[in-house]
């Protein structure tokens, strides 16, 4: 008997990150493609995980998360953003930021709902909307600064608009929201039933002393927002796949209905470890300058190449245009760089549904100095 299924995501293939990392391995290339650090995570934090396991924290924690971790997160939000949130009813620990986003969308989207997504967009957003039978409404960030055109947002709002998805700092562009963006956002959603999903997985990685415009700063917006975070991304342990979502108590009640039958509760020892690690504020306050140093070092090295930088204000990515070097498609260039020059990158057209090609490729600079130096030595051959 032939068993068949109707694909829920017929147009989806393998993610560009997986494709480029596999190609990098195959050609022994320096991998500045997929976003993950190649340096070790904090030993203090791994020691705390070992200690937690040895002390017996190996059974389920509550569905919403380990209580001391929720409490320290609420304290952190209050200290950083001056917003008071309730640890028990407004935070849920999730297996990664991607899961938090998927769960939020699945919690609220009904068939036919429209969701505004800015492109270039992180690869999971559109499939996450489509699998819920909702409709992505795509708006280009304005090249080359990758800012939001709020007039276009206003034009695209319809009675079916259910949600606006933000990614701040932005992957792949490194752009960040400014205070005026929040003013526009507030004006757009005021007196509507529109929800916001704010993907802030690069929360602490905002550079040049610019304040992170987290939705958590704005209690009136938080009431209608799901704000998603990733411990993996900021604490240099992407393989942990641990994150969290913050929202209003009533939206969180619905979020947990979905979460409890999918994951139920997340890895306990990591949560116990993070609860103690985050007591030291330096564990997160030091992250921006640490990563900014890497951005600056990479930028300085890249000046020896023919690539032209686009600004990176946050995240651990920097985009470069190669328009003055070659007119080949960005995917072709990324493949050629991996195979012939030995450096893997990500073509930014992969973040557009229509494959828009502005001749821009993304580099991940969350790497050891030696890795960045080795990559740039190779790129100088171009
Ligand atoms: N959103 C963005 C913009 C990301 O870059 C990532 C990193 N992969 C995620 C979400 C997901 O993070 P996690 O690995 O915690 O699922
Ligand atoms: N967020 C990572 C990136 O943008 C990749 C994570 C993944 O491979 N899904 O490179």
């Amino acid at each position: 008997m032939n068993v068949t299924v109707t694909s829920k995501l017929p147009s989806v293939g393998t993610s560009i990150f997986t494709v480029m990392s596999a190609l990098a391995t195959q050609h022994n290339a320096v991998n500045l493609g997929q976003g993950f650090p190649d340096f070790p995570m904090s030993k203090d934090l791994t020691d705390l995980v070992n200690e937690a396991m040895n002390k017996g924290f190996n059974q389920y924690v509550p569905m919403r998360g380990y209580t001391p971790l929720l409490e320290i997160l609420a304290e952190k939000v209050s200290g950083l953003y001056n917003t008071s949130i309730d640890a028990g009813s407004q935070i849920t620990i999730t297996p990664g930021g991607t899961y938090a986003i998927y769960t939020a969308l699945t919690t609220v989207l009904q068939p036919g709902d429209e969701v505004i997504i800015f492109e270039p967009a992180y690869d999971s957003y559109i499939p996450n909307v489509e699998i819920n039978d909702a409709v992505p409404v795509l708006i280009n960030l304005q090249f080359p600064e990758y800012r939001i055109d709020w007039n276009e947002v206003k034009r695209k709002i319809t009675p079916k608009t259910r949600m606006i998805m933000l990614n701040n700092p932005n992957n792949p562009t490194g752009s960040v929201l400014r205070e005026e963006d929040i003013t526009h956002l507030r004006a757009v959603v005021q007196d509507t039933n529109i929800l916001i999903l704010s993907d802030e997985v690069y929360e602490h990685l905002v550079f040049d002393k610019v304040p992170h415009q987290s939705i958590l700063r704005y209690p009136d917006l938080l009431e209608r927002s799901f704000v998603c975070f990733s411990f993996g991304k900021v604490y240099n342990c992407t393989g942990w796949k641990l994150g969290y979502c913050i929202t209003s108590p009533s939206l969180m009640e619905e979020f947990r209905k979905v979460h409890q039958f999918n994951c139920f509760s997340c890895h306990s020892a990591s949560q116990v470890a993070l609860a103690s690690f985050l007591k030291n504020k330096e564990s997160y306050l030091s992250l921006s300058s640490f990563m900014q140093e890497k951005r600056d070092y990479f930028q300085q090295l890249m000046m020896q190449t023919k690539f032209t930088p686009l600004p990176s204000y946050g995240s651990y990515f920097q985009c470069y245009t190669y328009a003055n070097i070659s007119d080949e498609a960005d995917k072709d260039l990324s493949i050629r760089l991996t195979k012939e020059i030995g450096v893997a990158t990500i073509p930014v057209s992969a973040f557009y549904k229509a494959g828009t090609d502005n001749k821009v490729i993304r580099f991940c600079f969350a790497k050891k100095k030696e890795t960045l130096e080795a990559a740039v030595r190779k790129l100088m051959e171009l």
Side-chain angles (χ1 to χ4, degrees), residues 12 15 46 57 76 80 113 141 156 174 228 285 362 370:
V12 166
S15 102
T46 52
F57 287 99
K76 173 170 166 272
L80 288 179
D113 281 351
L141 294 173
K156 295 249 166 99
C228 300
L285 293 179
R362 186 196 83 175
E370 307 88 272

Side-chain angles (χ1 to χ4, degrees), residues 55-334:
K55 280 188 176 158
F57 287 99
N58 300 302
Q59 310 307 329
Y60 295 132
V61 294
M63 185 261 277
R64 62 191 178 191
Y66 179 60
T67 304
L69 177 58
L70 302 176
E71 283 165 356
I72 197 87
L73 287 173
E75 208 178 299
K76 173 170 166 272
V77 169
S78 159
L80 288 179
Y81 305 121
N82 204 20
T83 296
S84 154
I85 58 167
D86 178 54
S89 61
Q90 291 191 256
I91 315 176
T92 297
I93 307 295
T94 61
T98 319
Y99 173 104
I101 296 164
Y102 180 81
T103 304
L105 295 175
T106 301
T107 298
V108 297
L109 292 182
Q110 300 288 343
D113 281 351
E114 293 179 0
V115 179
I116 292 186
I117 296 178
F118 299 100
E119 289 194 312
Y122 186 58
D123 67 345
S124 69
Y125 296 174
I126 294 176
N128 281 186
V129 168
E130 288 178 341
I131 207 162
N132 283 295
D133 290 328
V135 182
V137 174
L138 306 175
I139 296 181
N140 277 356
L141 294 173
Q142 291 176 300
F143 180 74
E145 277 280 330
Y146 295 109
R147 302 288 308 272
I148 294 176
D149 176 350
W150 288 101
N151 284 326
E152 189 174 355
V153 176
K154 280 184 216 149
R155 285 198 299 276
K156 295 249 166 99
I157 300 280
T158 76
K160 288 188 173 169
T161 308
R162 189 72 191 96
M163 183 181 263
I164 298 176
M165 290 183 78
L166 300 169
N167 178 204
N168 176 36
N170 182 266
N171 177 7
T173 68
S175 66
V176 299
L177 294 184
R178 311 284 165 161
E179 209 174 332
E180 67 252 35
D181 292 305
I182 303 293
T183 307
H184 286 296
L185 175 65
R186 182 177 280 128
V188 164
V189 299
Q190 206 164 24
D191 302 323
T192 73
N193 199 25
I194 297 173
L195 300 168
I196 296 164
L197 186 135
S198 188
D199 174 351
E200 301 186 14
V201 300
Y202 298 100
E203 179 187 18
H204 299 296
L205 310 179
V206 180
F207 310 134
D208 309 314
K209 304 215 163 10
V210 172
H212 172 48
Q213 287 299 331
S214 175
I215 292 293
L216 298 177
R217 281 182 197 278
Y218 305 100
D220 62 319
L221 293 176
L222 180 57
E223 266 180 28
R224 57 170 83 227
S225 302
F226 293 95
V227 194
C228 300
F229 299 92
S230 167
F231 293 113
K233 280 280 154 176
V234 287
Y235 300 110
N236 304 315
C237 48
T238 57
W240 277 25
K241 293 300 295 187
L242 200 65
Y244 57 104
C245 178
I246 299 182
T247 184
S248 69
S250 59
L251 290 177
M252 187 51 87
E253 201 179 317
E254 291 302 314
F255 180 100
R256 286 179 183 165
K257 289 183 190 173
V258 179
H259 169 69
Q260 76 174 338
F261 295 127
N262 192 8
C263 162
F264 178 62
S265 83
C266 298
H267 193 257
S268 47
S270 312
Q271 295 188 56
V272 174
L274 280 163
S276 99
F277 187 67
L278 295 180
K279 279 188 197 146
N280 176 3
K281 294 191 171 77
E282 274 308 296
S283 62
Y284 48 90
L285 293 179
S286 62
L287 296 172
S288 161
S289 59
F290 172 78
M291 208 54 89
Q292 182 175 327
E293 210 174 287
K294 295 212 170 283
R295 178 201 62 174
D296 293 346
Y297 188 60
F298 181 59
Q299 270 183 9
Q300 185 199 324
L301 290 172
M302 284 293 280
M303 284 165 75
Q304 302 167 85
T305 72
K306 294 195 188 120
F307 290 93
T308 311
L310 300 178
S312 167
Y313 301 103
S315 79
Y316 45 51
F317 304 114
Q318 171 116 37
C319 289
Y320 279 78
T321 164
Y322 59 90
N324 59 335
I325 308 177
S326 152
D327 59 7
E328 64 199 298
D330 64 353
K331 282 194 175 142
D332 294 340
L333 180 78
S334 288

